[in-house]
C-alpha cells in the first residue's frame, strides 16, 4: 500500500476515504496502511533525501528506488517539484517545492500546509495543500447514475476535509460574500448565508437525490464549488492573512499551496491552465494568468513589505477573476448556442456550470449587474437571450464591474467569439419608456427580452437587393430568433389560432425559410427583403409579446408580464426594429399620433395598459391596439399596390410588404367573408390589379369589419384621402347582360370591372366640342389606364411579341402621347382624338386581357380578371371590347340570333364559362383577333370611300391606324410583308391615293385563318371575290420627314427600300 501511494506521476491519487458505512476489513486495511505511511513519514522527516523521478516512472521502479536508498542508510522522498532533484542525506526536510510545468514555489515548512488527522479511526492527510486532492477525489467519485450514498459522500467529504480551510472568516472579501444574497441552487428568493458553500451543496445534493434536477448539472455544481469556490476563498484568505497585520510568509505559503495543490487536476492552477488553453491565452505551455500569479506569489514571498504583499495580493486576485470571467463567458456562450439550437433547458450543464462560476464573481459585481448574472444562470428557469445576449451581457458586466476592468486581451477568444457583434447591453432593470408614454418599471431582469429587437436589427442590416440569404438564414438561427419563433405555446388562444390557420407550429420560421431558400414567393430582390424584414420584425415579435403577456395575466406571472413589456419597448439602440416603431410609423401615415408627439395613440394605449398591470382587461387592450397597428400597415400597402398599378410602377415590393403585414393579422381576419379577397391582393405569385382605389377600399372595409376597428382608431391614410368615399365598394363576382349571365367568377373581380368606367371617363372628355389634350393625357395617366398599358409583362407571349414588334415596352403610351402632345400623328384634331380613343380603349384593354388570359390558364384569379375586363360593368359596357365587338358585328353582319350580341361575344362568353384551358384561351384570343381584323377591313374600306369621294381621310386613317396596331404583331407572325403594307397604309404620314385599301386589308387579315362566317362582310363593301388577285403592295408617295410607323426600327428601312423599288420600276418602265 505504501508503494502504491508514492507515485511520481503528478496525477490524482487512487485512494478513497471511508466513513462508518464501509466494511470493518476495509477500515482496518486503510487504518493500517495510513498509520504505516504516517510513521514512515515521521521517521523520514529528519533525515531525508528528495527525489523527483520522471513522471512516467512506474510504481515498481519507485518502490525499488526507495528500498535501495533505505538499504544505503537513507530515505528518498518524492516532492511536487516539477524540476525534480536530490537533497543530501541528513538535510533538514522543512522546505517543499510545489508547482507545475516549470512554475514553482517553495514552501518553507511543509508541515504548515498539510497535517494528518484521525477521522473516526481513519487517518487522513488534509490541509491547504490537500484541498485539491480532496476536490479531485470527490470528482473521481462522479459515477452516473449517482447513488444517494455517493451524493451524501460528496457533502460529507466537503464538511470533513475542506470547509474549515475555505468556508471561514478572515479574508479581505469574506463579508462581501456572506452579505451577498445568492440565488439558491434550485431557484427562489435570494438569500445571504455565512455557510454559502455548504448551503449550496446541500440544496444541490438534496434536489439531485430527490430526482427533481438532472444529475449532470448537479455534479457540475458540486465540482465547481469544492474545487473553485472553496479554492479561491482559501487562497484569498491565506494571502490576506499573509500581509494584513504583519508579514506572514507561513500564510502566504498556505495560499500558494492551495493554488498549486497536491493534485493538479483538482487545483485552481489547473482551472487557469484549462481555460487559458480554451481562450488562447497560453504561451510556452503556461496560461498567462498562471504565469502572472506565479510571479506574484514568488515576489510576494521574497518581500518582507506588507505593502508589496498587498500589491501582489491584488494581482493574484485580479488574475483569478480573469480565470472565472473566462469560465462564466464560456458557459454564457454555450447557453446562447443551446438557445439557438433549441436545446436549452432549465438546469442544463452549461447553465449549472455557469451558475457555479458566476457565484465566485457575483459579489464583486454587485447591483443590478449581479442580479443579471444571477438571473442568467438561474437553473430553475430555461435560459433566455437573443443576439448572443448571455455572452455579450456577461462579458460586458465582468469587464466593467470587476475592479480595474478586464481587457479583451486578458480574456482571449473562445469558440469564434471574436466574430460576434455585441449590441449595447441596456441596464437590466431600468425603466422602459418611449417619449410621451407611461413609464414601465420592470420588477425582474428583462435584458434577454430587450435583446430580441437587437437580434432583429442585426438581421435587418444584412438585407438589401444583393442579400446573401444563406447567411441571413444562418444568422436568424444563430441569434436565437428561430428558437423564439418556434417556441410551442399550445394552449394559448392566439397561438392556437395561428397554428391552425397556417397549419404548422413553426409557421414563422417556415415562411423565413421559404423566403431564404429560393424565389417561390418572389424573385424580386427588394420584395424578398421586405418579406423577410416584416416577418422577423413584426410577425415574430408580435407573437412573442402576446404570448408573454398572456402567460403574465393568466398565470399571475410578473416576470412574464415584464418580459412582454420589454419586447414591446425594445432595446435603446434598436428602436427602429420594434413593434413600437412600427406603430409610430403607421400613426404618422394615418394621422393618429398622440397630440403634440410622434408616438402613436395605439402605442400610448399599450404602454398604459402594460403599466396598469397583468390583468385580462389590460392584455385585451394590448391585443386590440396591436391589431390597429397591423390593420393600418396592411391597408396602407393595399393602397400602395393600387398606386403602383395606376402609375405603371413595379408593385412587387409593396405587395410583399402587404403580405408580410397581413400575415400578422390573417387568422383574425379569416372569419370574414372577404378574407380570400385580401389574400388574393397580396398573393406575391400573382400580379395584383387595382384601380380607383378599389383594392384599398375593399381591404379597408374587410379588415376593419373583421377586427372591429373604428374609423377614429384607424385614422385617415394620407394619400388616400383623395378618394371621395369607400362606402360603395364591394366584392363583385357575377357579370350579367340583362337576364343573361355572361360569367360568374370565384374571386373578386371588382377592380377589373372598373376598367370600363376608366375608359368611359376618358372618352367623356374626348367627346367635347373643345377637347383639352393635356387633361385627356392627365386622366389617362391618373386613373389606371396608363398603368395597365405600360405594365411589364415580360415572359408572356403576347407581351413579348408586341415588345419585339414595336421595340418599346411602352408602345401603347408612346403612341397615345404622340397624339396628345402635338400634331405628329396628325394636324387634324378629330384624327388625334380617334388615335387617343382607340389606343386607350382598345390597345390597352386587349393587351391587359391577353395577359390575364395567358396567366389564367393556371390561375383562376387571372381568368376571372380577364373576363371582367372583357365584359366590364353593365353601365359602361359600351366602352369595352365586348362593346367594340357588338359594333363591328353590326357592321359585318355577324350578330347572333338576338340581333344585338356579336357571335364572337357569345363564343367568348361560352369559353370563359367553360373554364381555364389552353383551348378556351385560344378560342377567346382568336375571337379578339376577329374583332380587330374587322376593324382593319372596315377602315380600309372607309379610306377607299374617302379617296373616291375626295373627303378628308385623316380621321379614318388615324382611327384605322389605332385599330390596326392592336392586331399588327399577330398578323406579322403569319404574314410579315402584308403587315408592313398595312402599317404603311394606315400610317398618317402616308397619303391614301388608290382604291385598294379595302382589298389590301381583306387579303392580309385572311392569313389569320378566320372563318368566313365569323369574319362576315362589311355592309356596303364589295364582295370578297372582288379582292381576289389584288396583292397588298406599298403604293403612294414617299412619306414626309415626319413619317414614323412606330414599328420596329428595321421596318423603316424595309419600307424605304420597298418604296425605292417601286419608284425604280416605274422609272425603268418609262
Amino acid at each position: 500500500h505504501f508503494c502504491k501511494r508514492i507515485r511520481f506521476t503528478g496525477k490524482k491519487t487512487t485512494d478513497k476515504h471511508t466513513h462508518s458505512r464501509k466494511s470493518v476489513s476495509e477500515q482496518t486495511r486503510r487504518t493500517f496502511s495510513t498509520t504505516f505511511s504516517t510513521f514512515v513519514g515521521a521517521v523520514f522527516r529528519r533525515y531525508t533525501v528528495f527525489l523527483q523521478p520522471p513522471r512516467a516512472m512506474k510504481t515498481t521502479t519507485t518502490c525499488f528506488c526507495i528500498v535501495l536508498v533505505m538499504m544505503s542508510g537513507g530515505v528518498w522522498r518524492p516532492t511536487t517539484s516539477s524540476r525534480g532533484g536530490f537533497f543530501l542525506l541528513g538535510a533538514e526536510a522543512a522546505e517543499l517545492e510545489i508547482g507545475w510545468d516549470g512554475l514553482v514555489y517553495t514552501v518553507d515548512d511543509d508541515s504548515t500546509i498539510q497535517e494528518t488527522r484521525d477521522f473516526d479511526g481513519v487517518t487522513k492527510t488534509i490541509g491547504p495543500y490537500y484541498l485539491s486532492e480532496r476536490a479531485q477525489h470527490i470528482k473521481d467519485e462522479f459515477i452516473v447514475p449517482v447513488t444517494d450514498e455517493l451524493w451524501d459522500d460528496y457533502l460529507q467529504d466537503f464538511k470533513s476535509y475542506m470547509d474549515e480551510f475555505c468556508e471561514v472568516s478572515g479574508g479581505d472579501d469574506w463579508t462581501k460574500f456572506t452579505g451577498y444574497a445568492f440565488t439558491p441552487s434550485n431557484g427562489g428568493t435570494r438569500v445571504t448565508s455565512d455557510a454559502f458553500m455548504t448551503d449550496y451543496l446541500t440544496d444541490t445534493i438534496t434536489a439531485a437525490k430527490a430526482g427533481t434536477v438532472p444529475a449532470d448539472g448537479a455534479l457540475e455544481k458540486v465540482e465547481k464549488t469544492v474545487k473553485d469556490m472553496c479554492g479561491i476563498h482559501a487562497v484569498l484568505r491565506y494571502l490576506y492573512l499573509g500581509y494584513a497585520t504583519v508579514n506572514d510568509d507561513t500564510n502566504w505559503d498556505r495560499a500558494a499551496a492551495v493554488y498549486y495543490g497536491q493534485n493538479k487536476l483538482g487545483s485552481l492552477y489547473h482551472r487557469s491552465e484549462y481555460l487559458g488553453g480554451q481562450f488562447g491565452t497560453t504561451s510556452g505551455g503556461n496560461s498567462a494568468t498562471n504565469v502572472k500569479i506565479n510571479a506574484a506569489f514568488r515576489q510576494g514571498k521574497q518581500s518582507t513589505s506588507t505593502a508589496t504583499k498587498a500589491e501582489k495580493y491584488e494581482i493574484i486576485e485580479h488574475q483569478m477573476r480573469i480565470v472565472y470571467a473566462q469560465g462564466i463567458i464560456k458557459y454564457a456562450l454555450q447557453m446562447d448556442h443551446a438557445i439557438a439550437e433549441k436545446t436549452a433547458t432549465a438546469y442544463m450543464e452549461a447553465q449549472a456550470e455557469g451558475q457555479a462560476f458566476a457565484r465566485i464573481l457575483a459579489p464583486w459585481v454587485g447591483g443590478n449587474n449581479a442580479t443579471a448574472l444571477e438571473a442568467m444562470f438561474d437553473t430553475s428557469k430555461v435560459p433566455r437571450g437573443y443576439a448572443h445576449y448571455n455572452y455579450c451581457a456577461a462579458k460586458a458586466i465582468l469587464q466593467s464591474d470587476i475592479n480595474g476592468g478586464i481587457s479583451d486581451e486578458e480574456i482571449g477568444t473562445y469558440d469564434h467569439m471574436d466574430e460576434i457583434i455585441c449590441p449595447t447591453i441596456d441596464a437590466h432593470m431600468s425603466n422602459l419608456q418611449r417619449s410621451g408614454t407611461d413609464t414601465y418599471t420592470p420588477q425582474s431582469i428583462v435584458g434577454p427580452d430587450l435583446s430580441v429587437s437587437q437580434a432583429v436589427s442585426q438581421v435587418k442590416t444584412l438585407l438589401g437587393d444583393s442579400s446573401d440569404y444563406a447567411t441571413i438564414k444562418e444568422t436568424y438561427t444563430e441569434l436565437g430568433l428561430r428558437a423564439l419563433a418556434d417556441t410551442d405555446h399550445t394552449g394559448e388562444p392566439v397561438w392556437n389560432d395561428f397554428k391552425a390557420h397556417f397549419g404548422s407550429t413553426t409557421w414563422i420560421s417556415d415562411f423565413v425559410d421559404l423566403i431564404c431558400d429560393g424565389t417561390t414567393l418572389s424573385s424580386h430582390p427588394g420584395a424578398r427583403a421586405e418579406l423577410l424584414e416584416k416577418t422577423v420584425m413584426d410577425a415574430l415579435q408580435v407573437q412573442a409579446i402576446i404570448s408573454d403577456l398572456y402567460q403574465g395575466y393568466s398565470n399571475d406571472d410578473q416576470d412574464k408580464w415584464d418580459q412582454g413589456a420589454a419586447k414591446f419597448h425594445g432595446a435603446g439602440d434598436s428602436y427602429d426594429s420594434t413593434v413600437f416603431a412600427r406603430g409610430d410609423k403607421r400613426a404618422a401615415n394615418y394621422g393618429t399620433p398622440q397630440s403634440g408627439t410622434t408616438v402613436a395613440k395605439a402605442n400610448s394605449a399599450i404602454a398604459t395598459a402594460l403599466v396598469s398591470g397583468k390583468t385580462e382587461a389590460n392584455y385585451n387592450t394590448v391585443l386590440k391596439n396591436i391589431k390597429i397597428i397591423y390593420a393600418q400597415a396592411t391597408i396602407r400597402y393595399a393602397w400602395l399596390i393600387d398606386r403602383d398599378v395606376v402609375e405603371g410602377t413595379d408593385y412587387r415590393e409593396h405587395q410583399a410588404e402587404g403580405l408580410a403585414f397581413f400575415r400578422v393579422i390573417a387568422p383574425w381576419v379569416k372569419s370574414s367573408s372577404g378574407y380570400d379577397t385580401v389574400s388574393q391582393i397580396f398573393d406575391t405569385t400573382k400580379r395584383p390589379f387595382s384601380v380607383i382605389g378599389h383594392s384599398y377600399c375593399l381591404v379597408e372595409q374587410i379588415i376593419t369589419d373583421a377586427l372591429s376597428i373604428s374609423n377614429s382608431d384607424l385614422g385617415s391614410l394620407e394619400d388616400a384621402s383623395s378618394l371621395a368615399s369607400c362606402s360603395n365598394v364591394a366584392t363583385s363576382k357575377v357579370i350579367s347582360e340583362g337576364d343573361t349571365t355572361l360569367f360568374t367568377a370565384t374571386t373578386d373581380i371588382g377592380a377589373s370591372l372598373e376598367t370600363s368606367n376608366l375608359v368611359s371617363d376618358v372618352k367623356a372628355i374626348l367627346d367635347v366640342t373643345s377637347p383639352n389634350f393635356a387633361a385627356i393625357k392627365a386622366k389617362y395617366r391618373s386613373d389606371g389606364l396608363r398603368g395597365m398599358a405600360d405594365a411589364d409583362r415580360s415572359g408572356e407571349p403576347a407581351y413579348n411579341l408586341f415588345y419585339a414588334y414595336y421595340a418599346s415596352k411602352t408602345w401603347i403610351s408612346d403612341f397615345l402621347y404622340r397624339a396628345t402632345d402635338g400634331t405628329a400623328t396628325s394636324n387634324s384634331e378629330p384624327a388625334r382624338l380617334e388615335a387617343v380613343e382607340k389606343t386607350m380603349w382598345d390597345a390597352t384593354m386587349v393587351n391587359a386581357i391577353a395577359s390575364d388570359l395567358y396567366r389564367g390558364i393556371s390561375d383562376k384569379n387571372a381568368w376571372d380578371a380577364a373576363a371582367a375586363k372583357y365584359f366590364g360593368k353593365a353601365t359602361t359596357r359600351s366602352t369595352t371590347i365586348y362593346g367594340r365587338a357588338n359594333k363591328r358585328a353590326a357592321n359585318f353582319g355577324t350578330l347572333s340570333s338576338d340581333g344585338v350580341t356579336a357571335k364572337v361575344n357569345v363564343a367568348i362568353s361560352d369559353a370563359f364559362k367553360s373554364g381555364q384551358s389552353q383551348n378556351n384561351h385560344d378560342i377567346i384570343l382568336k375571337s379578339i383577333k376577329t374583332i380587330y381584323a374587322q376593324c382593319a377591313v372596315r377602315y380600309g374600306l372607309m379610306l377607299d370611300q374617302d379617296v373616291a369621294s375626295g373627303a378628308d381621310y385623316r380621321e379614318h386613317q388615324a382611327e384605322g391606324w389605332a385599330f390596326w396596331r392592336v392586331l399588327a404583331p399577330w398578323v406579322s407572325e403569319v404574314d410579315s410583308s402584308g403587315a408592313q403594307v398595312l402599317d404603311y397604309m394606315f400610317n398618317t404620314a402616308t397619303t391614301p391615293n388608290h382604291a385598294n385599301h379595302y382589298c389590301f386589308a381583306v387579303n392580309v387579315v385572311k392569313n389569320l385563318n378566320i372563318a368566313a362566317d365569323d369574319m362576315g362582310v362589311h355592309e356596303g363593301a364589295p364582295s370578297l371575290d372582288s379582292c381576289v388577285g389584288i396583292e397588298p403592295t406599298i403604293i403612294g408617295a414617299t412619306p414626309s420627314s415626319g413619317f414614323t410607323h412606330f414599328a420596329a426600327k428595321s421596318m423603316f428601312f424595309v419600307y424605304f427600300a420597298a418604296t425605292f423599288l417601286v419608284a425604280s420600276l416605274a422609272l425603268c418602265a418609262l
Side-chain angles (χ1 to χ4, degrees), residues 524 527 640-642 644-645 648-657 681 683-688 791-792:
H524 187 276
L640 293 175
I641 290 171
D642 186 283
D644 289 332
V645 172
T649 51
D650 196 318
Y651 59 85
R652 289 176 290 180
E653 281 195 39
H654 290 151
Q655 188 183 41
E657 289 183 88
I681 292 167
D683 186 341
T684 55
T685 65
K686 299 174 182 177
R687 181 181 294 124
D792 189 335

Side-chain angles (χ1 to χ4, degrees), residues 26 160 211 252 327 334 407 417 615 663 678 697 830 887 931 957:
E26 173 70 4
S160 297
W252 199 263
Q334 286 188 11
S407 68
M417 67 188 225
T615 67
R663 284 172 58 87
V678 181
C697 289
K887 282 187 175 183
I931 298 166
Q957 187 180 39

Side-chain angles (χ1 to χ4, degrees), residues 242-382:
Y243 76 87
T245 55
V246 295
N247 181 54
D248 185 345
D249 284 345
T250 298
N251 276 314
W252 199 263
D253 286 351
R254 288 170 178 150
V258 174
Y259 188 81
Y260 293 105
Q262 186 272 343
N263 184 300
K264 180 180 179 182
L265 292 179
S267 68
L268 300 188
Y269 176 95
H270 175 261
R271 184 68 69 200
S272 170
E273 177 187 74
Y274 180 71
L275 289 172
Q278 291 190 319
F279 279 78
T281 55
T282 59
S283 177
N286 297 118
S287 67
T289 48
N290 271 338
V291 171
K292 292 175 183 177
I293 288 172
N294 180 257
F297 269 129
R298 291 165 63 91
Q299 292 164 9
K301 173 70 175 289
Q302 291 165 5
S303 176
T304 59
S305 166
T306 56
T308 299
K309 276 188 166 63
E311 291 175 6
K312 303 308 174 186
Y313 171 94
E314 294 297 333
I315 291 172
I316 295 169
E317 182 181 60
H318 179 73
Q319 294 302 313
M320 288 195 296
R321 286 172 174 172
I322 293 172
V323 172
Y324 291 101
Q326 289 174 326
I328 294 168
I329 290 168
K330 169 185 173 180
Y331 292 111
L333 183 57
Q334 286 188 11
M335 289 199 310
D336 285 329
H337 291 331
I339 291 168
E341 294 162 4
K342 297 192 279 190
T343 58
T345 56
Y347 224 111
M348 61 182 291
E349 284 190 57
Q351 188 184 41
E353 292 183 86
Q355 183 185 68
F357 278 147
R359 287 168 56 85
I360 295 171
L361 296 188
W364 280 310
V365 172
N368 284 342
N369 278 346
T371 302
L373 282 179
E374 295 282 342
M376 184 183 298
F377 295 109
D378 184 346
T379 52
S380 68
K381 299 176 181 178
V382 177

